[in-house]
Amino acid sequence: MPLLRLDAQQTIYATGDDDDSMYFVESGRVKLFLSSESGRDCLLAIYTSGDIFGESCFAGADKRLESASALGPTTIRRLQRRDFIVEVGRAELTDALLRHLATRIAERQVTILDLVTSDSERRLAKTLFELAQKLGTPEGPYIRIDERVSQEELSQMVGTTRPRVTAFMQRFRTEGIIDTPDPRSIRIHRERMLAYLALPE
């Protein structure tokens, strides 16, 4: 499986590319996004070490609908679709692959539901909590995320403007839901965030 070393913002594949590969993240972070005709990006997901992405290659389309790029120095492995399927079959992981694909579909469905039913402040809170669970490390009552996602990227994930994200973040700080100990980190207060989202412990 070829090893690819990427710099920050380096493109892995772009909308319209002929690319039929699956990818495995060894280190670093990858963002998956769509761009509108007006040039506005919609951030679909962020993947980190141990994640796989590129599932749209199974859709049968000749070209990629979405784009993928590195968020920082990143190392990934690439395997063409036909070779990936062979390896999955050889390892008797077909059921696991189907569960993975079903999970990714369910994640997109939940995202659509949130866009329709939740206001942008709550969507931001939920996004921050999900990022903390995925990328963060426990630190007392907090979950700390280093090399945090930018407010521009958060606005793309939430589906709102950057100024609104800035206002919501300030409100979360005032209420003690988040803390920003330095410019590159953010801490999510787990109990307060769960209370805000009305989620069980």
Side-chain angles (χ1 to χ4, degrees):
M1 194 184 298
L3 182 67
L4 306 176
R5 300 184 187 278
L6 307 167
D7 296 323
Q9 308 307 317
Q10 186 172 344
T11 298
I12 300 165
Y13 59 79
T15 300
D17 283 355
D18 292 314
D19 182 279
D20 67 347
S21 297
M22 287 289 292
Y23 297 85
F24 174 80
V25 184
E26 283 209 343
S27 65
R29 295 185 299 163
V30 170
K31 70 174 182 179
L32 202 70
F33 62 98
L34 287 168
S35 298
S36 68
E37 292 183 0
S38 64
R40 183 174 180 180
D41 289 339
C42 173
L43 187 53
L44 301 173
I46 293 176
Y47 300 124
T48 188
S49 301
D51 287 334
I52 62 173
F53 67 96
E55 296 91 348
S56 62
C57 71
F58 292 109
D62 293 332
K63 300 181 184 299
R64 290 286 188 182
L65 296 176
E66 80 284 8
S67 300
S69 65
L71 279 171
T74 299
T75 303
I76 61 174
R77 291 191 180 273
R78 174 181 178 178
L79 194 62
Q80 288 190 314
R81 178 180 58 197
R82 63 176 180 273
D83 296 327
F84 181 83
I85 292 173
V86 168
E87 291 300 323
V88 166
R90 182 177 297 157
E92 298 183 349
L93 292 173
T94 301
D95 286 347
L97 174 60
L98 291 174
R99 286 195 300 272
H100 169 79
L101 294 173
T103 298
R104 285 287 161 86
I105 292 170
E107 290 171 351
R108 299 292 182 267
Q109 290 173 331
V110 170
T111 298
I112 293 169
L113 178 65
D114 285 341
L115 285 170
V116 173
T117 62
S118 298
D119 60 56
S120 51
E121 181 177 296
R122 182 178 173 84
R123 292 200 306 272
L124 175 61
K126 185 176 180 182
T127 297
L128 288 170
F129 188 60
E130 289 173 349
L131 287 172
Q133 291 180 300
K134 185 177 181 67
L135 306 175
T137 54
E139 190 176 89
Y142 294 93
I143 307 173
R144 183 184 181 114
I145 307 174
D146 291 311
E147 298 184 23
R148 67 181 181 186
V149 179
S150 71
Q151 291 193 9
E152 179 62 31
E153 289 163 338
L154 285 172
S155 71
Q156 293 169 9
M157 295 184 79
V158 172
T160 189
T161 63
R162 181 172 178 175
R164 296 194 76 191
V165 167
T166 300
F168 296 151
M169 294 286 279
Q170 182 57 48
R171 187 177 305 169
F172 293 157
R173 285 191 200 92
T174 300
E175 296 178 2
I177 296 172
I178 68 169
D179 176 35
T180 49
D182 60 68
R184 296 296 301 169
S185 302
I186 183 170
R187 300 194 305 174
I188 313 296
H189 194 288
R190 188 176 183 277
E191 289 185 4
R192 291 171 185 165
M193 180 61 83
L194 287 171
Y196 175 86
L197 293 171
L199 295 175
E201 290 286 343

